[in-house]
Amino acid sequence: MSLPPAPALSAVPPGIVNLADHESHARTHLDPRAWAYFSGGAADEITLAANRSAWERIRLLPRVLRPLAGGHTRVQLLGRTWAHPILLAPVAYQRMAHPDGELGSACAAAALGAGIVLSTQASTRLEVVAEAIRSDPGRGPLWFQLYLQHDRGFTRGLLERAEQAGYEALVLTVDAPCHGARDRERRAGFHLPCGVSAVNLHGLRPAPRVTLQADQSALFDGLLRHAPTWADVQWLQANTRLPVLLKGLMHPDDARQAAALGVAGLIVSNHGGRTLDTSPGTASVLPRVADAVAHSATGPLALLVDGGIRRGTDVLKAMALGASAVLIGRPALYGLANAGAAGVAHVLRLLRDELEIAMALTGCATLADATPALLDADAAQSRERQGFSGAVSDS
């Protein structure tokens, strides 16, 4: 396969100095239907807002006069040394935001040493993305996000394609057996524009139609007949040589069950607030999930988190709460909309620079120094009263 053309570089618009600026600028020129799809959440968008406010409620305690020379942001995860703990989360249909789509995001991630998780519903072929960055010596991890399809033969073919293309891990999304009630999308009349589709699913035959009885549910007796279960996680592990991570866990009991199956890692996520509205922000449940898997009999798990991360301080807080790394979705998409690959690279650079600043001002020479001691005790006690501490009941 020949290398695809490199994404064209565009200038980041003037005046953009943080991730919120990227979001504001993207809103002014994205198609309203695309904006509704990318930025909206489920129902009243309570969880969408909670993802952000949960990080904001946590306070960091500065430390002074600590030796910081030679500090760095490197982390060890899944057998690799990463330059920093930031990955691009899987976001579907990125060519709605910019013609370069996922290719632009991947090239930016590679240039900045960030990992990328390519969506099953990407609008660029998985082989094209992998070929563009696979030989870059400074790139981060290359993972493939998977939705299990009703046709297991097709899913096996997708797994083989990902393995042959050089993807290093599979990220199985488990929190979306059905869509949330996305009011904003419906009001906007969202539909995919001409020329944008889930190209990696081309050739998948529709699921067999089921004749429903009058007292049956189109959701429970129709769509959810194909919803994945724990048995399907085991099926996936048996049908791939790649490590498997589960994305979308919020409950400690689910985390323990996943650990018992020997998965390689977990991603604490509520799907960016796009599925179950009124679920808590991910920062609120991260400590309990971390506590649940801290003493896994199968060994340490990679523990990642996404949802509402907009500042380098958020990344540091995540590490102090037990995360191994973080993922960002919408901010990178907004950067892509604003300036293609250069915009995504700018988002990643801003976030890493802010992380280093936060580390320096809290006395952390490395991310191994990011422990719960960085967090304000009053804030921690408040979190415990709200039922968010790792010491409280899982119920």
Side-chain angles (χ1 to χ4, degrees):
M1 178 185 295
S2 60
L3 283 173
L9 292 181
S10 304
V12 175
I16 294 182
V17 300
N18 58 34
L19 273 58
D21 290 340
H22 269 288
E23 179 174 354
S24 297
H25 193 276
R27 184 171 190 174
T28 64
H29 66 278
L30 269 175
D31 176 89
R33 287 169 295 195
W35 173 258
Y37 177 80
F38 288 128
S39 67
D44 298 309
E45 301 188 346
I46 293 168
T47 296
L48 180 66
N51 274 343
R52 184 74 208 109
S53 62
W55 295 112
E56 292 173 340
R57 283 196 302 268
I58 302 170
R59 300 290 184 260
L60 290 169
L61 278 175
R63 297 295 304 275
V64 300
L65 303 176
R66 294 166 69 90
L68 298 172
H72 60 79
T73 59
R74 293 189 295 274
V75 293
Q76 300 281 336
L77 199 58
L78 295 190
R80 283 192 57 172
T81 300
W82 301 8
H84 55 80
I86 304 168
L87 296 89
L88 299 187
V91 177
Y93 307 123
Q94 293 186 26
R95 290 185 58 241
M96 284 199 300
H98 190 277
D100 289 335
E102 293 83 2
L103 184 60
S105 295
C107 289
L112 273 292
I116 181 169
V117 187
L118 186 75
S119 172
T120 289
Q121 296 176 316
S123 49
T124 307
R125 285 179 58 84
L126 66 89
E127 291 87 355
V128 171
V129 172
E131 187 69 17
I133 68 172
R134 187 168 47 198
S135 60
D136 189 321
R139 70 168 175 83
L142 175 62
W143 296 353
F144 184 69
Q145 178 266 342
L146 183 69
Y147 288 109
L148 288 176
Q149 305 301 316
H150 62 273
D151 184 336
R152 285 294 184 262
F154 185 92
T155 299
R156 287 193 190 94
L158 200 57
L159 297 177
E160 292 172 2
R161 288 175 58 192
E163 292 175 1
Q164 293 172 4
Y167 288 82
E168 301 158 34
L170 295 173
V171 176
L172 177 65
T173 294
V174 296
D175 63 349
C178 65
H179 281 198
R182 299 179 190 168
D183 295 351
R184 206 194 303 192
E185 285 183 31
R186 291 186 289 184
R187 290 192 191 101
F190 173 75
H191 61 83
L192 287 175
C194 182
V196 175
S197 65
V199 295
N200 293 302
L201 296 180
H202 286 181
L204 175 63
R205 292 174 296 182
R209 295 190 63 179
V210 176
T211 301
L212 298 175
Q213 303 301 315
D215 60 345
Q216 288 186 305
S217 161
L219 180 61
F220 287 101
D221 299 303
L223 177 66
L224 295 183
R225 291 184 303 113
H226 305 290
T229 66
W230 290 108
D232 294 305
V233 175
Q234 294 176 293
W235 177 90
L236 178 60
Q237 291 173 302
N239 280 272
T240 182
R241 58 179 175 79
L242 299 178
V244 174
L245 297 90
L246 303 187
K247 179 178 183 291
L249 286 92
M250 294 280 285
H251 198 289
D253 286 349
D254 288 338
R256 281 187 279 266
Q257 188 160 354
L261 292 181
V263 299
L266 308 176
I267 301 176
V268 175
S269 174
N270 53 34
H271 217 91
R274 291 166 63 82
T275 51
L276 177 64
D277 198 26
T278 73
S279 64
T282 52
S284 300
V285 301
L286 175 59
R288 285 194 289 168
V289 174
D291 184 66
V293 299
H295 307 292
S296 169
T298 58
L301 279 76
L303 182 62
L304 298 87
V305 64
D306 68 11
I309 292 169
R310 299 294 184 270
R311 288 286 188 180
T313 47
D314 300 332
V315 181
L316 186 60
K317 292 169 187 177
M319 304 299 282
L321 291 172
S324 312
V326 306
L327 302 95
I328 58 169
R330 291 182 177 96
L333 190 284
Y334 299 145
L336 181 69
N338 290 331
V344 179
H346 190 241
V347 165
L348 288 167
R349 184 73 258 180
L350 287 171
L351 204 56
R352 183 175 176 183
D353 286 349
E354 290 183 5
L355 171 60
E356 292 186 353
I357 292 168
M359 291 172 64
L361 295 177
T362 54
C364 295
T366 72
L367 290 168
D369 300 324
T371 70
L374 290 185
L375 307 180
D376 179 65
D378 290 340
Q381 290 170 6
S382 173
R383 288 167 59 75
E384 185 170 349
R385 286 193 297 272
Q386 296 175 51
F388 295 146
S389 167
V392 301
S393 169
D394 293 336
S395 61

